[in-house]
Amino acid sequence: MTGTVTGTGTVTAPEVLTFGETMLALRGSGPLRLGGSMEVSVAGAESNVAIGLARLGHAVRWAGAVGEDEAGELVLRTLRAEGVDVSGASRDDGGAPTGLMIAEPRLPEVTRVHYHRAGSAGSRLKACSLERAFTAAPPKVLHLTGITPALSRSARSACTLALRLAAEHSALVCLDVNFRSRLWSSEEAAEVLRGWAPSVDVLIASDDELPLCLPAETPADPALRAKELLALGVGEVVVKLGAAGATAYTDDGRTVHAPARAVRAVDTVGAGDAFVAGYLSAFLDGSTAEARLDRAVTTGAFAVASRGDWEGAPTRAELGLLSAPAGTVVR
């Protein structure tokens, strides 16, 4: 069973609603087998996006589930502190714990991530909890990832309901494919995501994730794949290309590219979530496709240049810092 989080104040309509699993995050100082110190934080793709949007000045609601434990309390406390509305979140009172993620740095630009999330509270998110979070004050945008439906049948049902509610309330749908092979196979993912594609307004994916949203035997060229998705009803396709930047394909036939911002890479974990937050932020601002991509690669660069999943996410006032000359002191 789950219980709704209470005592969070009046529920107001958010610009964005997102939901998924947020875990306790332990970040090691070196190889895990050698011991050493650990930094304690929280992490989850959807909450990373929520924090990134909140720092940019947007009203965001997160509606995941956590355990009745101290780790769950840390998740909720952190999100509240970052300005994210957790009025739609729930606490699992059936004994399921908050999930755990351990990040193990192995090389300057390589981090191994270990998950302990089987049977977690986050995987037991119920459709009824999501419905309460959605209908209490319907959002302008529903943000989904391909992670949540892979967690369990109940979480997948919550996603299906969320898509139906978005259609009923005329909310735009943003999908970050975010395929995780540890959670489900590409065949399982494709079966779900191909059914979702016609309901998606903004689809964000790396070039190798695009086939998961298309019928079998798709062309190898990302541009042709994007055009097929647009023909299926997707409103806009954004392809993340890593160090090569990103390209957006719009329903009016335009193709827009933005190169990656040059920064010293510190930690690439969370960069994709930061990219999504930047893109959605500019989308909500009514910006052009060029401006949307520019903000996305900028917020992604902030993440790459900082340790942690979300800690380096910029505020709106900080977006211009990457353009400052080297050695600049901001007073």
Side-chain angles (χ1 to χ4, degrees), residues 37-48:
S37 61
M38 288 273 187
E39 294 180 0
V40 181
S41 185
V42 304
E46 299 82 9
S47 56
N48 292 344

Side-chain angles (χ1 to χ4, degrees), residues 24-29 36-42 74 100-103 267 307-308 311:
L24 178 70
L26 301 180
R27 299 191 179 94
S29 56
S37 61
M38 288 273 187
E39 294 180 0
V40 181
S41 185
V42 304
L74 177 61
L100 171 65
M101 182 195 88
I102 301 175
D267 185 357
R307 288 197 70 204
E311 286 82 349

Side-chain angles (χ1 to χ4, degrees), residues 19 35 91 96 106 163 189 205 209 229 236 247 260 263 270 279 281 293:
F19 62 97
R91 304 291 294 263
R106 290 301 289 118
L163 285 170
E209 291 173 332
L229 285 165
E236 188 164 309
T247 302
V263 295
Y279 198 87
S281 170
L293 275 184

Side-chain angles (χ1 to χ4, degrees), residues 145-166:
T145 76
I147 297 173
T148 305
L151 296 176
S152 66
R153 288 186 178 182
S154 65
R156 192 174 303 180
S157 295
C159 293
T160 301
L161 175 60
L163 285 170
R164 179 171 65 78
L165 291 171

